[in-house]
Amino acid sequence: MSQAHWTKFEKETEEEVKNLVKQISGIQDEEDQNFQLALKFTWSNFRMNVYLLIMSMMKYRCFRIYEKLMVHSDLSKAESWVRLTEEFLNSPLPNTDGIKVWLDKKHTEWSEEESEDEDSQQPLSREDSGIQVDRTPQEDQEKTVPVTWTVGEPDARTWLEQHVVTPYWQGHTPRFPHSLHLHSNLLNVWDQHLYNTDPLYLPEEKAFVTETQVIRETLWLLSGVKKHFIFQHQDGKVVVRNDVVVTHLTNNCLRSLLEHIAVYGQAVFRLQRFIDEVTGYDTEPCPPGSYSSKQGTEPPFRTYQAFVWALYKYFTSFKQELTTIERDLIGKDETVTLAGVLDRLSPHLAQIKVLHKVFCTGVAEVPPETPNVVRASHLLNTLYKAIIEYDSVGEASQQAVALLFSLWTETVRPYLEIVDEWIVHGHLFDPAKEFIIQRNKDVPVNHRDFWYATYTLYSISETVESEEKLSDAASGSSGGEQASRSQLTMVSFLKPVLKQIIMAGKSMQLLKNLDCKEAEQTDGSTRDAERKSLYTLFLESVQSRLRCRDDSPTDTVTEQQATKQSLIKMQSIVAQHLQMDDIHDPLLAINFARLYLEQSDFHERFSGGDVIVDRSSESVTCQTFELTLRSCLYPHIQKRYIECCGNLMTTLKKDYRLLEYLQAMRNYFLLEAGDTMYDFYTAIFDKVLEKESWQQLAFLNVQLQEAVGQRCPEDSSRLSIFLETIDPVRKKQPVNNLDGLTLSYKVPWPVDIVVSSECQRIYNQVFLLLLQIKWAKYSLDTLTFSEEVKAKRLEGTPEEVKAKEPINQQIHRMFLLRVKLMHFVNSLHNYIVTRILHSTGLEFQHQVQEAKDLDQLIKIHYRYLSTIHDRCLLREKVSFVKEAIMKVLNLVLIFSDRWQVGFGAWKIGSIDKMESDFKNCHMFLVTILNKAVCRGSFPHLESLALSLMAGFEQC
């Protein structure tokens, strides 16, 4: 071998050998013949003898000696042998790395050759062993050639292409050498069988690969590599080449295995492509039917980003497992087969199948141009339903449930962050519009319609698959009621606390815009205490659920004993569960115990305390997930709801005089301020009695200001009155002359959220009814009956009337009719004022004090107005009853007017008609009210019915 081709190591070794020969022989002339002979002898010993080498074969033999010592129970000798051997093998030797590797390879080759020679000298018998002897010629076997290569040399790539692996991916690649064993040539045997049995059989061109190459391409495919030889991508699908074969399997068998692998490769490819698209790394065009993010228009919304982050973390651990398998394949310390690799990856492949199913349902199948709110809701619902579905299977799906829960906890993070920002700071930060509640920016916070029209709740119909907007009305729960009727779905896990989230968010936003101390104190204490986010609190609560109390001493129990005692232990856990409080609940540790053990994120996030998890408590029920949310998430939202809404209610009552304004509405519209409003409406009634015009705004407002200003001057500037234009047809009857008289009270913001314009409209309807009753009562109460008046009334009475009926009898009939009318009006007046307004008002005041949030207060106020509206018979359904009452009131006004004019304007027939009309209306009302009371549909009318019956005259 020419020295020109020697490596640096070989040249240094040559110099060291020469120095050794010079030191031992004493010959200094290198050209001396004796020196050359000694040099060759020394080199031959270095190159040919084995006893100088520290090689892997020596390690193997040392391990065999250790096994023998262990078999003979010489434990001390075995431990000493291992210790001394490791110290010797690991002792440092200078400048020996290169030669150690090179000699190690050479020794391995020589050992194989020696073992093959020994095998050839002692052949095995097929009859005895049942195993066919491999008669592969030695010249066909591949031999290792000692080749050195240094990174950075010009021909580095060429060297790699020639020595690392045979380029099987290139066409017309020479067939690799392999064993002639029957089992290694099953493909040829099968092809020969087909050739002999089928005359039309024509062998096709095949691309031969080794099983090792198939395993490597399988690992590469599952790791996300896109370019392969065995597997190919066509129109977004992973397919298997038809011509790829191995020598020891038939074509159909290999293809069945590869197509099974390709299914999972396709799933990995779709998931990895989704990850790349969301993260912005994908630059290739999307295949037909695949998910495509709106790149160039808007970034992916945060829910998709969180879902991708969860997928990325899973695939990171999965690729670590693939890397470990590939290292085992490269190390060749043990046999690695394709079947073994698939068996080792079977748990991961099952999880990939679950992930792909969730991706297809929750992401890929969503139609294009779908709003982000629909995409986010659908994805979270898909994960939620998948957890429930797999959880109901039982222990067979423990890994799937743990995986899905880890995905859900990551994916739900943006939603919980949006909720946290809203209910803590009053800011609904949702730039991508992915949250189911969205802000209407056209309505400012200080607008009176803020509470009703500021936010929109989005729901999706499963039946028609169309988007519907449900406005968050005053009731707060109307949206949810409509959703249940039209089979709408939203984010499932938020349904139980959706109302609390809406109330807390709107309350906090309102507080931030009010000049109040409660909001400042809340915000300040939050900053000082370094408040934890809702998401962190949720995870901490989940982690606390994993803790299990262990009051008894822990004994060392073997795995076999634990298996035998699992049923007894489960029964004891159930017994302990009945005595445990709500925090430490072992039954709710279902699935999440294994999540804690399998997901490193939870351990890293909550490290610092010893957590004892009893895995025998993993009895799976389909209600576990909902119960965990109920105990770990909902209480934190409920707590924030109580705090925000309580602060808002305190602010409105103390700083903004909410209760005082509600009382003012009752004082003026419901005439509870009797003396004040008496001065106002009697001035109007006197004008009517004097036949003077009263329908003048100046006169009405002056009378109102004078009446209110004397007793409540702070309200005089807020009260005003005006006249609405009424159809003249409606004013044919005297009782309708007051129609159009409308009272207005200026309620400041934010109290006008409770006392809205719609509420004032209902107040005015009751106000008008009360004025009509008060007018009728005032008309009867102001009639005078002195002897002089009686005489005045009799002046000018027609002779025919005097002859037909005595005057005293006529006066008596008039007095009786007046008393009947007065009894009717007083009964109606007492029913409205005492039974309806007073008792209902007391109940309303108590409910206002108990209201927990503004929405509940709005409901209470609206329900109060609806109650008095219905009980005052103003509802359309009972309009016929009101018409009968209005006829009586109108009869009262006619009677009073004619009484004031005198008997000369009367006809005997008119008295008869008035008595007949009153009797008919009276009888009708008594009959209707009695029937309603007997049915129990209007129990509040019982007092009115009894009162009217007492004054009813039987004919």
Side-chain angles (χ1 to χ4, degrees):
M1 182 175 179
S2 175
Q3 292 187 1
H5 300 282
W6 281 14
T7 63
K8 181 180 180 181
F9 171 75
E10 291 174 338
K11 293 179 181 180
E12 292 177 354
T13 305
E14 177 70 14
E15 292 298 327
E16 295 297 333
V17 173
K18 288 180 180 181
N19 293 334
L20 178 63
V21 173
K22 290 178 182 180
Q23 292 292 335
I24 296 177
S25 64
I27 304 174
Q28 301 299 324
D29 186 8
E30 296 181 1
E31 300 299 328
D32 187 85
Q33 184 177 2
N34 294 328
F35 183 89
Q36 292 296 327
L37 290 174
L39 182 62
K40 290 180 180 180
F41 176 79
T42 304
W43 266 116
S44 67
N45 279 276
F46 284 157
R47 291 173 177 169
M48 304 304 297
N49 291 334
V50 180
Y51 58 85
L52 292 176
L53 304 179
I54 303 173
M55 300 168 291
S56 59
M57 185 59 68
M58 183 180 294
K59 297 181 181 180
Y60 175 72
R61 290 173 181 171
C62 292
F63 183 75
R64 294 297 301 271
I65 295 174
Y66 168 78
E67 286 185 336
K68 290 181 180 180
L69 292 174
M70 293 295 293
V71 169
H72 292 286
S73 299
D74 291 335
L75 301 180
S76 60
K77 293 181 180 180
E79 293 177 359
S80 300
W81 175 261
V82 172
R83 179 177 52 80
L84 294 173
T85 303
E86 291 297 328
E87 290 179 0
F88 173 73
L89 294 177
N90 295 329
S91 59
L93 294 175
N95 300 328
T96 57
D97 293 341
I99 190 170
K100 180 179 179 181
V101 176
W102 182 81
L103 291 177
D104 198 26
K105 292 182 179 178
K106 292 297 295 181
H107 176 69
T108 302
E109 295 169 5
W110 296 333
S111 299
E112 290 178 356
E113 292 175 359
E114 292 173 0
S115 62
E116 290 171 359
D117 292 341
E118 293 175 359
D119 292 341
S120 63
Q121 293 174 4
Q122 299 179 1
L124 300 175
S125 172
R126 290 185 60 188
E127 289 76 17
D128 295 337
S129 64
I131 302 176
Q132 182 180 1
V133 180
D134 190 357
R135 300 295 184 180
T136 305
Q138 294 297 325
E139 56 272 11
D140 292 342
Q141 296 291 336
E142 182 180 1
K143 296 183 178 180
T144 304
V145 180
V147 181
T148 59
W149 169 77
T150 305
V151 177
E153 293 183 359
D155 56 348
R157 184 174 183 83
T158 304
W159 186 93
L160 283 174
E161 292 176 350
Q162 294 177 354
H163 296 88
V164 173
V165 68
T166 303
Y168 61 90
W169 54 86
Q170 297 179 357
H172 306 290
T173 302
R175 187 169 177 178
F176 55 86
H178 67 283
S179 174
L180 297 180
H181 195 283
L182 176 62
H183 296 166
S184 299
N185 292 274
L186 183 59
L187 179 64
N188 292 335
V189 174
W190 181 250
D191 283 349
Q192 187 65 37
H193 169 73
L194 294 178
Y195 181 79
N196 295 334
T197 57
D198 187 0
L200 300 179
Y201 176 74
L202 180 63
E204 298 178 353
E205 177 118 11
K206 300 179 178 64
F208 286 87
V209 294
T210 65
E211 186 170 356
T212 301
Q213 293 167 350
V214 174
I215 294 174
R216 284 187 172 180
E217 290 221 1
T218 299
L219 297 177
W220 297 340
L221 175 68
L222 296 178
S223 64
V225 178
K226 298 180 181 179
K227 294 183 179 180
H228 310 272
F229 174 71
I230 299 176
F231 303 98
Q232 295 180 339
H233 291 269
Q234 295 180 1
D235 298 331
K237 295 182 180 180
V238 178
V239 297
V240 181
R241 288 177 61 102
N242 295 325
D243 57 347
V244 173
V245 294
V246 294
T247 59
H248 58 285
L249 291 177
T250 63
N251 189 20
N252 291 337
C253 179
L254 177 64
R255 184 166 186 83
S256 177
L257 283 173
L258 296 181
E259 288 180 348
H260 175 71
I261 296 171
V263 172
Y264 294 101
Q266 173 68 22
V268 172
F269 170 74
R270 295 190 68 187
L271 292 172
Q272 187 63 52
R273 188 178 187 89
F274 173 66
I275 293 174
D276 294 340
E277 288 178 350
V278 174
T279 55
Y281 290 111
D282 186 66
T283 57
E284 298 181 4
C286 296
S290 66
Y291 166 78
S292 176
S293 62
K294 302 175 183 179
Q295 297 184 5
T297 58
E298 58 183 16
F301 52 97
R302 289 189 291 170
T303 301
Y304 270 19
Q305 294 179 18
F307 180 61
V308 163
W309 173 242
L311 292 177
Y312 174 79
K313 290 202 299 185
Y314 171 79
F315 277 108
T316 299
S317 62
F318 176 59
K319 290 177 181 179
Q320 290 176 353
E321 178 66 17
L322 297 178
T323 303
T324 302
I325 296 176
E326 190 168 11
R327 286 175 180 172
D328 296 342
L329 185 66
I330 295 173
K332 299 182 180 178
D333 293 334
E334 59 183 16
T335 303
V336 181
T337 63
L338 182 60
V341 171
L342 293 180
D343 182 67
R344 184 172 175 179
L345 292 176
S346 58
H348 294 281
L349 297 180
Q351 291 177 341
I352 289 177
K353 183 178 180 181
V354 173
L355 293 178
H356 186 251
K357 180 180 178 181
V358 170
F359 167 75
C360 291
T361 305
V363 178
E365 295 179 1
V366 178
E369 304 301 328
T370 302
N372 290 340
V373 60
V374 181
R375 291 180 179 272
S377 302
H378 183 63
L379 176 57
L380 291 173
N381 282 345
T382 301
L383 286 170
Y384 183 90
K385 293 177 182 177
I387 294 175
I388 303 300
E389 176 183 351
Y390 282 97
D391 197 12
S392 62
V393 175
E395 296 183 358
S397 62
Q398 289 180 0
Q399 293 184 350
V401 174
L403 173 66
L404 289 171
F405 181 75
S406 65
L407 252 69
W408 184 85
T409 54
E410 288 289 348
T411 308
V412 80
R413 182 170 188 165
Y415 249 60
L416 294 185
E417 288 177 347
I418 293 174
V419 172
D420 183 68
E421 178 71 17
W422 192 23
I423 65 178
V424 172
H425 301 292
H427 180 213
L428 184 60
F429 180 74
D430 182 23
K433 294 183 178 180
E434 58 187 297
F435 194 54
I436 57 173
I437 303 170
Q438 296 182 12
R439 176 77 161 88
N440 180 13
K441 296 182 179 180
D442 296 334
V443 181
V445 180
N446 57 356
H447 194 274
R448 63 181 182 181
D449 294 334
F450 162 77
W451 199 260
Y452 314 101
T454 307
Y455 295 95
T456 302
L457 175 63
Y458 282 78
S459 299
I460 313 302
S461 173
E462 291 180 340
T463 55
V464 298
E465 297 183 355
S466 63
E467 180 181 359
E468 293 188 21
K469 300 180 181 179
L470 301 179
S471 178
D472 183 20
S475 63
S477 60
S478 60
E481 295 171 358
Q482 295 179 22
S484 62
R485 290 195 297 269
S486 57
Q487 298 181 354
L488 300 178
T489 60
M490 58 188 70
V491 181
S492 302
F493 80 97
L494 286 182
K495 283 184 179 180
V497 290
L498 184 61
K499 176 183 179 297
Q500 287 83 347
I501 292 174
I502 295 175
M503 294 301 104
K506 293 196 295 187
S507 298
M508 197 63 210
Q509 186 173 4
L510 191 58
L511 275 173
K512 289 292 183 179
N513 287 269
L514 294 177
D515 185 15
C516 59
K517 299 179 180 180
E518 281 73 10
E520 297 176 0
Q521 293 174 355
T522 302
D523 190 36
S525 61
T526 297
R527 289 195 300 265
D528 296 338
E530 295 183 357
R531 182 191 60 86
K532 295 180 180 179
S533 67
L534 177 63
Y535 182 72
T536 302
L537 292 174
F538 166 63
L539 293 183
E540 289 180 350
S541 298
V542 172
Q543 187 260 356
S544 68
R545 284 286 178 185
L546 305 180
R547 292 199 176 102
C548 179
R549 285 182 182 173
D550 192 1
D551 298 332
S552 60
T554 304
D555 299 329
T556 304
V557 183
T558 62
E559 184 178 356
Q560 292 80 5
Q561 292 173 339
T563 303
K564 294 179 182 179
Q565 298 176 0
S566 60
L567 180 58
I568 300 175
K569 198 169 185 179
M570 189 61 200
Q571 292 176 349
S572 67
I573 290 175
V574 173
Q576 293 177 8
H577 165 63
L578 298 177
Q579 301 177 355
M580 287 184 176
D581 55 10
D582 189 55
I583 296 178
H584 300 282
D585 192 342
L587 289 183
L588 291 182
I590 303 164
N591 299 320
F592 308 116
R594 59 178 174 272
L595 172 68
Y596 178 81
L597 296 177
E598 297 175 4
Q599 300 295 326
S600 60
D601 288 347
F602 279 83
H603 180 70
E604 294 174 359
R605 185 171 295 165
F606 304 116
S607 59
D610 295 333
V611 179
I612 302 174
V613 180
D614 192 346
R615 296 183 67 85
S616 65
S617 64
E618 294 177 4
S619 174
V620 180
T621 63
C622 62
Q623 297 180 352
T624 300
F625 191 43
E626 292 93 331
L627 293 177
T628 301
L629 291 177
R630 191 180 303 168
S631 60
C632 298
L633 176 61
Y634 300 159
H636 301 297
I637 297 177
Q638 182 73 16
K639 180 181 178 181
R640 188 61 192 170
Y641 154 75
I642 294 174
E643 181 180 354
C644 293
C645 296
N647 289 339
L648 178 61
M649 292 300 297
T650 301
T651 301
L652 292 178
K653 291 177 181 178
K654 291 184 177 180
D655 299 344
Y656 290 88
R657 303 170 54 205
L658 172 64
L659 299 181
E660 286 82 351
Y661 287 117
L662 290 176
Q663 183 61 49
M665 297 299 294
R666 298 197 304 274
N667 288 340
Y668 305 124
F669 286 86
L670 305 185
L671 307 182
E672 289 189 11
D675 50 353
T676 301
M677 296 307 293
Y678 179 83
D679 294 343
F680 167 68
Y681 60 71
T682 54
I684 299 176
F685 299 158
D686 290 339
K687 285 276 187 181
V688 176
L689 293 177
E690 298 296 332
K691 308 297 181 180
E692 297 179 5
S693 175
W694 61 270
Q695 296 175 339
Q696 299 174 0
L697 287 180
F699 164 75
L700 294 174
N701 282 287
V702 167
Q703 294 299 322
L704 181 62
Q705 294 298 324
E706 288 181 355
V708 176
Q710 293 178 4
R711 299 173 179 86
C712 302
E714 65 275 6
D715 289 333
S716 60
S717 60
R718 298 187 178 278
L719 273 173
S720 61
I721 197 165
F722 58 92
L723 294 171
E724 292 182 350
T725 304
I726 302 298
D727 186 2
V729 178
R730 292 178 53 185
K731 290 190 175 183
K732 288 185 177 181
Q733 301 297 333
V735 74
N736 296 123
N737 287 334
L738 295 177
D739 290 355
L741 191 63
T742 305
L743 193 63
S744 176
Y745 188 86
K746 295 181 180 179
V747 182
W749 181 86
V751 181
D752 60 353
I753 296 177
V754 179
V755 185
S756 62
S757 57
E758 175 64 20
C759 293
Q760 291 208 26
R761 185 184 64 83
I762 300 176
Y763 272 116
N764 268 298
Q765 292 181 7
V766 180
F767 173 68
L768 177 61
L769 176 64
L770 291 175
L771 283 184
Q772 291 172 336
I773 297 175
K774 293 286 186 180
W775 187 12
K777 180 175 171 55
Y778 184 78
S779 298
L780 291 175
D781 291 343
T782 56
L783 293 180
T784 59
F785 305 102
S786 62
E787 293 297 329
E788 297 170 352
V789 173
K790 293 180 184 177
K792 183 180 179 181
R793 297 290 184 259
L794 293 175
E795 293 178 0
T797 303
E799 293 296 332
E800 62 271 13
V801 174
K802 297 179 181 179
K804 189 175 181 180
E805 186 176 7
I807 298 299
N808 291 334
Q809 187 174 354
Q810 295 182 30
I811 296 175
H812 181 70
R813 289 178 61 187
M814 294 290 289
F815 273 101
L816 288 178
L817 181 59
R818 172 191 174 275
V819 171
K820 293 178 182 177
L821 293 175
M822 185 174 290
H823 178 270
F824 180 92
V825 172
N826 287 336
S827 299
L828 179 62
H829 181 268
N830 292 336
Y831 164 76
I832 296 294
V833 173
T834 59
R835 182 65 180 89
I836 302 302
L837 298 182
H838 180 68
S839 60
T840 308
L842 293 177
E843 182 182 358
F844 168 67
Q845 293 177 17
H846 175 72
Q847 292 177 348
V848 168
Q849 295 294 339
E850 298 295 327
K852 296 180 180 180
D853 58 63
L854 183 58
D855 190 73
Q856 188 176 359
L857 178 61
I858 293 173
K859 286 183 183 179
I860 292 172
H861 185 233
Y862 193 82
R863 191 184 307 121
Y864 165 70
L865 292 179
S866 299
T867 300
I868 62 176
H869 182 270
D870 293 345
R871 292 182 179 181
C872 289
L873 307 175
L874 296 175
R875 191 168 53 174
E876 188 68 25
K877 186 177 181 180
V878 291
S879 58
F880 58 93
V881 179
K882 181 189 175 184
E883 291 178 1
I885 293 176
M886 290 296 106
K887 286 184 179 180
V888 176
L889 296 181
N890 191 64
L891 186 63
V892 169
L893 296 178
I894 295 175
F895 175 82
S896 174
D897 183 65
R898 292 187 178 180
W899 181 284
Q900 296 291 342
V901 173
F903 282 102
W906 286 65
K907 293 183 180 180
I908 192 64
S910 62
I911 299 178
D912 296 337
K913 186 175 184 308
M914 292 177 65
E915 291 177 339
S916 175
D917 291 344
F918 173 72
K919 183 177 181 180
N920 292 335
C921 290
H922 199 173
M923 182 184 300
F924 171 77
L925 288 173
V926 169
T927 304
I928 292 296
L929 295 178
N930 281 334
K931 289 183 178 180
V933 171
C934 293
R935 289 197 306 266
S937 54
F938 300 100
H940 57 277
L941 292 175
E942 182 177 1
S943 61
L944 178 62
L946 292 176
S947 179
L948 294 181
M949 282 188 64
F952 183 67
E953 177 181 296
Q954 298 291 340
C955 297

